[in-house]
């Protein structure tokens, strides 16, 4: 026994590691207090495990609802973006249509002006034809020698127009009075027309 006493006296106090201290000082008392709390709650008629089960079910339902709301918001945002993109496309197309309509209006106005110009030119041409017809009638009454001298002095196109309006007999008589080269030139042009 004496030896045991010496051993007891000579034993130094044990040093505990950090984990052992944590386990003995915090974890074991924490588990003990939870066990006591569960026993007390069960004694009072509260089934803690059933409450936890209901809480987790409610929490999972709430999480699913939140997830569905988030997906719906995402879909709504996507729809809004698509609507915005569609609206932008529609606006762009409307602008293009307006530009094309303005272009059509401009071209229509230009076409109207061109048609008016064509009508004016037709009227001028008719007036010119009438005046050439009157001049040709005047040359019909004139002697062929004088008519040939006057036609020599006129512009070639004007002379050609007058010769076309004359009768065949008068035309041949006037061409006979002209120099052979000039008469050949007018004859060629008359034949080509």
């Amino acid at each position: 026994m004496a030896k045991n006493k010496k051993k007891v006296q000579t034993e130094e106090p044990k040093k505990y590691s950090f984990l052992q201290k944590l386990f003995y000082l915090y974890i074991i008392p924490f588990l003990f207090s939870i066990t006591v709390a569960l026993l007390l709650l069960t004694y009072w008629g509260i089934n803690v495990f059933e409450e936890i089960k209901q809480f987790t079910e409610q929490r999972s339902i709430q999480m699913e609802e939140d997830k569905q709301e988030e997906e719906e918001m995402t879909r709504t945002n996507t729809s809004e973006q698509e609507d915005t993109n569609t609206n932008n496309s529609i606006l762009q197309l409307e602008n293009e249509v307006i530009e094309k309509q303005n272009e059509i209006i401009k071209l229509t106005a230009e076409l109207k002006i061109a048609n008016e110009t064509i009508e004016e030119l037709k009227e001028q041409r008719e007036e010119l034809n009438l005046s050439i017809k009157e001049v040709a009638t005047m040359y019909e009454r004139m002697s062929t020698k004088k008519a040939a001298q006057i036609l020599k002095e006129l512009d070639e196109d004007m002379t050609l127009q007058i010769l076309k309006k004359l009768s065949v007999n008068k035309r041949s008589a006037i061409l006979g009075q002209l120099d052979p080269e000039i008469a050949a030139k007018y004859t060629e042009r008359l034949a080509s027309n």
Side-chain angles (χ1 to χ4, degrees):
M1 280 212 163
K3 287 184 181 180
N4 282 341
K5 282 185 183 179
K6 282 185 181 181
K7 274 188 177 180
V8 173
Q9 291 175 353
T10 59
E11 281 187 23
E12 293 183 20
K14 244 184 176 181
K15 289 190 176 181
Y16 296 105
S17 70
F18 174 74
L19 289 176
Q20 287 174 332
K21 286 180 187 177
L22 182 68
F23 187 72
Y24 292 132
L25 293 176
Y26 297 106
I27 295 176
I28 291 177
F30 178 71
L31 291 174
F32 178 74
S33 59
I34 287 178
T35 306
V36 170
L38 287 174
L39 289 173
L40 285 174
L41 289 171
T42 305
Y43 177 73
W44 289 330
I46 298 172
N47 189 346
V48 175
F49 297 109
E50 190 64 36
E51 293 290 329
I52 291 173
K53 184 179 177 183
Q54 288 177 357
F55 176 77
T56 54
E57 286 175 358
Q58 288 175 352
R59 184 69 181 142
S60 66
I61 291 170
Q62 182 66 32
M63 287 177 67
E64 285 180 21
E65 289 174 356
D66 290 346
K67 186 177 179 181
Q68 287 175 351
E69 285 179 14
E70 187 177 315
E71 287 175 0
E72 191 174 310
M73 290 292 285
T74 305
R75 275 189 244 121
T76 304
N77 288 340
T78 304
S79 306
E80 289 174 359
Q81 287 176 349
E82 289 174 357
D83 289 346
T84 303
N85 290 341
T86 304
N87 288 340
N88 288 340
S89 297
I90 290 171
L91 288 175
Q92 186 177 9
L93 290 173
E94 286 175 349
N95 288 338
E96 288 178 17
V97 167
I98 290 170
E99 287 176 13
K100 295 296 181 186
Q101 286 175 339
N102 290 338
E103 197 173 319
I104 288 170
I105 291 169
K106 181 181 173 186
L107 290 174
T108 305
E110 289 176 6
L111 181 63
K112 186 177 180 181
I113 291 170
N115 284 337
E116 289 173 359
T117 306
I118 288 171
E119 289 299 320
E120 287 176 9
L121 289 173
K122 281 181 181 178
E123 288 174 8
Q124 288 176 358
R125 185 174 180 179
E126 287 176 14
E127 289 175 8
L128 183 63
N129 281 340
L130 283 175
S131 63
I132 289 174
K133 205 174 203 180
E134 289 174 2
V135 170
T137 306
M138 200 172 55
Y139 277 95
E140 281 281 344
R141 294 182 187 146
M142 203 180 287
S143 72
T144 54
K145 192 174 184 181
K146 278 193 171 188
Q149 287 175 346
I150 295 171
L151 288 176
K152 260 199 255 184
E153 301 298 322
L154 290 177
D155 179 34
E156 284 183 22
D157 290 332
M158 180 62 79
T159 303
L160 197 63
Q161 293 293 327
I162 293 171
L163 286 173
K164 282 182 190 176
K165 300 288 181 188
L166 293 174
S167 65
V168 177
N169 291 336
K170 190 69 170 183
R171 189 180 321 151
S172 61
I174 290 174
L175 287 174
Q177 293 291 320
L178 293 173
D179 293 334
E181 292 174 1
I182 296 173
K185 182 170 63 172
Y186 285 131
T187 304
E188 185 179 325
R189 288 189 65 188
L190 282 169
S192 67
N193 284 335

